[in-house]
Amino acid sequence: MRKSTQNLLLKAMFAVFLCLFNFNTLSAEPLGKKVVLDNGIVLVVSERPGVPMVVVDILIDAGSINETAENAGLANLTAELLTSGTKTQSAVEIAEEADFIGSSLTTTSDYDFTEIELIVLKKYLARGLHILGDIIINPTFPQEEIEDTVSEIQGELKKNEEDPGWLAEREFLKALYVDHPYGRIAEGNEESILRINRPDIINFHSKYYVPNGTTISIAGDITLEEAKNLIENSFGTWKKKEINRNSVPPPPALEKTKSLKLDRKVTQANIILGHLGITRDNPDYYPLQVMNYILGGGGFSSRLVNDIRDKRGLAYSVGSTYLSRKYPGNFQVVLQTKNPSALDAVKLVLENMRRISESEVSDEELDDAKAYLIGSLPLSIETDREVAENMSLLEFFGLGLDYFDKYRDQIKSVSKQDVLRVAQKYLHPDRYVLVIVGNLKEINSDKI
C-alpha cells in the first residue's frame, strides 16, 4: 500500500504543477463544490458522472515541518504505519479488505502535509471509506510493524547513498536550509529513525491527525450530497481538537556562497546551484513563473538549454525550477555534465542568471512563455485522480477552487518589465549554494 516518498520534490513542485494545466479544457466553473462538516473536515467534491469510479484524496496538515531534527522521519513513519493495524483489524485484514474491493490505497508524507489516496469502484466506496476512517482515526502502530518499517526505510536510505542525484539534492537542501525542517530528508536519517519509538508515533498522530486539519477531496461518479453522507458515516465520530503547533522560524538568509563537492567515481557530474525562493502566497509568484520558464523551466526552448546544451554541448539535461511552499521554497538549477565540463557549465548558469537580471526579455520569449503556461499541457485535470489531488492542494494553500481562471489572468498580465523586476529581486548569482557530486580530480574542483 505504500507509495514511495521519494517523490517529495514532485509534490513540493506545486507551483510548477499548477502552471501546466491545459486551460483550454477548463470552464469558468470552480473545480469542485465545498462544504465544511461539523467536526471541521473540509469536503470538496467534483461531480464527474460516467465511469463508475471514485478517487478520494485526503490531505492532513501533518507533514515533516512539525517534527524536530532529533526525530526526523517521524511524520513519514507515522504515515507509513497507518495501514499496519487498527483497534479492530490487523495489517493483513486491512490489506485483504482493500484487495477484495479492488481498491488502490496509498499513503505518502511531504514537508507540509500527509496524503492518503483511495481509488475504488463506486459500488464499493462505502467500504473503502470505512477502511480510510479506520486507519486514520484508530491506528494502533504495532511494535513489530514499526520495527519492520524502520528496517525497510533504512534499506532505502542506504540504497539512495549510491545515487549521485539524490546525494546532491540532500546536500543542497541541508546547506540551504540549515536547521529548518525543509533542510532534512522526509524519511529522516539512519540515526534519527532509530530514535523514534512507539509513544513518539502515537503522540504525533494524536496531535496532528485531527478533522479540523483535514481536507477530503472526492472526484468521480458521485454527488456532493452522496459524498457528505458517506463521509459523515465513516468520519463522523472523529472529534475536533485544538492544535498547538510548534513554532517554525523562517529559514536563514544566505549571506554568501556555499560550495560543496562530493568525490564519487562517476563519469557524469551531478550539479545543483540555487538559493531560497518564495512562499506560495507571494504576489510575485506569477511573473516568477514566466521568468523561470524563459531562464530554464521551458524545456528545450529555455535559455539554459539553448546555451549549455544546444550551443555548447556541455550537458544533455539542464533546467531550473522556482518552487513555492508554505515556507520559502527554493530556486535551483539542476544539470548533469561530463566531469571536465562541470566548471564551464556552472559559469554559464551564472552568466544566464545575470543576463536575465540585466535586460528585458524579448517579445518572442515573453509570448512563448505565456502561451505555454496558459495554453498547454502536460499535467492536466482530465482524470479524476488529478482533479482530487489538486482540489486538496488548492484548499491547503488557500488558492480557491476557481484558481485556474485567476491564474490565466495573472499570467496574461505579466510584462517584460515584470520579468526583469522579479529576476533582479529574486535571482542571486552573487550568493548561492553549489553542490557538485562527481570525480573531483577530473572536475579540477580547486577552481570552483
Side-chain angles (χ1 to χ4, degrees):
M1 293 182 186
R2 289 180 52 221
K3 181 162 65 176
S4 169
T5 52
Q6 297 298 318
N7 63 351
L8 290 176
L9 183 60
L10 292 178
K11 283 290 182 186
M13 290 175 67
F14 178 54
V16 178
F17 208 75
L18 295 177
C19 298
L20 301 174
F21 289 109
N22 185 347
F23 286 93
N24 293 327
T25 67
L26 301 178
S27 68
E29 295 293 324
L31 197 54
K33 300 175 181 176
K34 171 181 166 181
V35 63
V36 180
L37 306 185
D38 290 343
N39 61 1
I41 289 176
V42 176
L43 172 63
V44 189
V45 177
S46 179
E47 301 175 359
R48 295 162 62 93
V51 179
M53 186 75 73
V54 176
V55 178
V56 181
D57 186 87
I58 300 180
L59 189 151
I60 302 175
D61 194 347
S64 59
I65 194 78
N66 298 292
E67 63 191 26
T68 65
E70 287 69 30
N71 61 18
L74 176 57
N76 177 64
L77 186 57
T78 304
E80 297 275 7
L81 288 164
L82 288 176
T83 56
S84 66
T86 69
K87 295 175 181 176
T88 57
Q89 296 188 94
S90 67
V92 173
E93 289 171 330
I94 294 169
E96 288 178 347
E97 173 69 359
D99 288 344
F100 181 78
I101 63 175
S103 66
S104 167
L105 176 59
T106 58
T107 65
T108 187
S109 186
D110 189 56
Y111 290 111
D112 291 334
F113 49 77
T114 286
E115 224 170 350
I116 303 104
E117 181 189 77
L118 173 77
I119 303 176
V120 66
L121 287 170
K122 183 180 179 182
K123 64 180 180 179
Y124 293 127
L125 178 59
R127 293 176 68 171
L129 288 175
H130 175 74
I131 297 172
L132 284 178
D134 198 26
I135 65 170
I136 291 172
I137 301 172
N138 304 309
T140 52
F141 307 112
Q143 182 62 37
E144 183 178 342
E145 296 285 349
I146 294 173
E147 293 171 4
D148 289 346
T149 304
V150 166
S151 177
E152 188 177 344
I153 293 173
Q154 282 186 304
E156 291 174 356
L157 290 171
K158 287 180 180 176
K159 183 180 177 183
N160 288 337
E161 292 286 340
E162 304 299 319
D163 180 350
W166 185 88
L167 278 178
E169 184 70 25
R170 184 189 67 181
E171 297 304 314
F172 173 77
L173 294 175
K174 189 190 303 182
L176 182 62
Y177 286 102
V178 194
D179 295 328
H180 190 276
Y182 287 174
R184 301 190 289 266
I185 298 297
E187 290 88 346
N189 55 63
E190 292 188 50
E191 294 76 29
S192 67
I193 59 172
L194 285 177
R195 285 194 291 267
I196 299 171
N197 55 37
R198 185 166 178 268
D200 293 332
I201 298 168
I202 292 173
N203 290 337
F204 185 87
H205 175 269
S206 176
K207 184 173 182 179
Y208 296 111
Y209 281 64
V210 294
N212 41 312
T214 298
T215 297
I216 300 180
S217 299
I218 302 180
D221 188 11
I222 190 169
T223 67
L224 175 63
E225 195 60 30
E226 288 175 313
K228 182 173 179 288
N229 290 334
L230 289 168
I231 293 299
E232 286 178 335
N233 285 338
S234 296
F235 292 85
T237 61
W238 205 8
K239 301 298 183 186
K240 184 186 293 187
K241 185 190 294 186
E242 185 177 348
I243 309 173
N244 295 314
R245 297 186 183 278
N246 297 330
S247 175
V248 180
L254 192 62
E255 301 294 340
K256 61 181 181 180
T257 293
K258 297 180 182 178
S259 296
L260 293 90
K261 292 162 277 188
L262 279 69
D263 193 18
R264 293 292 186 276
K265 302 303 178 188
V266 293
T267 57
Q268 292 275 324
N270 281 259
I271 301 171
I272 301 180
L273 186 154
H275 49 67
L276 289 177
I278 61 170
T279 56
R280 183 57 189 85
D281 58 359
N282 189 315
D284 282 332
Y285 170 85
Y286 303 96
L288 269 172
Q289 297 309 307
V290 176
M291 184 280 293
N292 182 65
Y293 181 92
I294 296 169
L295 175 63
F300 292 111
S301 64
S302 75
R303 289 187 178 187
L304 290 177
V305 168
N306 286 335
D307 196 11
I308 297 176
R309 179 184 184 275
D310 297 343
K311 184 178 176 181
R312 320 224 184 212
L314 293 180
Y316 179 76
S317 68
V318 55
S320 66
T321 53
Y322 214 112
L323 305 179
S324 61
R325 296 180 186 274
K326 190 174 182 179
Y327 294 87
N330 64 76
F331 164 76
Q332 60 177 248
V333 176
V334 179
L335 65 97
Q336 295 82 41
T337 183
K338 293 179 181 178
N339 289 311
S341 304
L343 182 57
D344 290 336
V346 169
K347 289 179 179 177
L348 289 170
V349 169
L350 294 171
E351 282 182 18
N352 277 278
M353 289 171 64
R354 293 189 186 97
R355 187 158 66 90
I356 202 169
S357 305
E358 290 171 353
S359 58
E360 292 180 358
V361 300
S362 69
D363 290 333
E364 183 180 2
E365 287 177 314
L366 181 68
D367 292 344
D368 287 349
K370 292 164 69 171
Y372 179 84
L373 294 174
I374 292 174
S376 67
L377 25 136
L379 297 174
S380 72
I381 50 171
E382 292 181 348
T383 71
D384 292 343
R385 186 177 190 179
E386 291 162 344
V387 170
E389 288 181 350
N390 287 286
M391 289 193 302
S392 292
L393 291 170
L394 291 174
E395 184 61 28
F396 182 79
F397 285 101
L399 297 174
L401 294 171
D402 60 346
Y403 169 80
F404 301 107
D405 286 321
K406 292 187 292 188
Y407 176 85
R408 176 180 52 202
D409 294 339
Q410 290 281 357
I411 292 295
K412 274 184 177 178
S413 68
V414 174
S415 67
K416 291 191 294 184
Q417 293 75 30
D418 291 329
V419 173
L420 179 61
R421 177 180 59 79
V422 296
Q424 292 173 337
K425 184 174 181 179
Y426 297 105
L427 287 181
H428 306 298
D430 58 335
R431 56 184 191 282
Y432 50 85
V433 171
L434 171 65
V435 177
I436 299 179
V437 180
N439 187 320
L440 299 186
K441 184 176 180 181
E442 293 182 3
I443 290 173
N444 199 8
S445 62
D446 291 342
K447 295 184 178 179
I448 296 178

